[in-house]
Amino acid sequence: MLILIIIATIALVVVIHYECLYRLTLLMPSIHIKHRYRLVIGIFGSLLAHIFEVIIFGFAYFFMHAQAGLGYLEGRFVISLSDCIYFSFTTYTTLGYGDIEPYGGIRFLAGVESLTGLVLITWTASFLFIEMQRYWVLGKTRHEKKD
């Protein structure tokens, strides 16, 4: 059951991330605003995707903590969904304050979440870099034509 939860969680967040970046790629060129503001939409859309993905991992921690034999979280917190989401944020971003510690099988989810977060954050950075190149070149070309 542990492996199934971990695989399902990772698959869900990767698909969500892919769909978000894909939809942003389609949406951004069709918005009729200045090119540089399109990047702001890309950044906020990406951040929303990351937040949603962290919340999904938080639900997985909350569920696993409540199930016997899947591990538990321990530290300075009350077992609540918001604490599990907080732990997920610190794990996803590899910040890791250390105030909440995973024990048992749930540690595997924490390790995989860190790796997944690293990959998805890097994917977002690559996406935004490509979009910056696209829109900054468009803006520069348009500006150069005015001169």
Side-chain angles (χ1 to χ4, degrees), residues 39-135:
L39 291 173
V40 173
I41 291 170
I43 290 168
F44 279 109
S46 299
L47 284 173
L48 287 174
H50 285 293
I51 290 168
F52 190 61
E53 293 152 12
V54 165
I55 291 170
I56 290 170
F57 274 107
F59 272 105
Y61 289 120
F62 189 69
F63 173 78
M64 289 176 72
H65 185 83
Q67 302 300 313
L70 294 180
Y72 60 95
L73 299 172
E74 191 174 274
R76 296 177 302 195
F77 73 109
V78 186
I79 301 302
S80 67
L81 181 58
S82 63
D83 285 327
C84 289
I85 292 171
Y86 161 77
F87 176 71
S88 180
F89 266 111
T90 62
T91 304
Y92 186 91
T93 60
T94 67
L95 180 61
Y97 285 121
D99 54 343
I100 302 173
E101 296 179 40
Y103 292 95
I106 206 168
R107 291 181 306 163
F108 189 59
L109 178 62
V112 171
E113 181 184 12
S114 293
L115 180 60
T116 303
L118 175 68
V119 169
L120 296 183
I121 290 169
T122 305
W123 187 3
T124 299
S126 298
F127 166 77
L128 291 172
F129 177 74
I130 291 167
E131 293 301 315
M132 287 166 122
Q133 285 184 322
R134 177 186 306 170
Y135 293 121

Side-chain angles (χ1 to χ4, degrees), residues 134-146:
R134 177 186 306 170
Y135 293 121
W136 285 359
V137 167
L138 285 174
K140 187 175 184 181
T141 305
R142 181 183 261 173
H143 179 65
E144 286 174 352
K145 287 180 181 178
K146 289 180 182 178

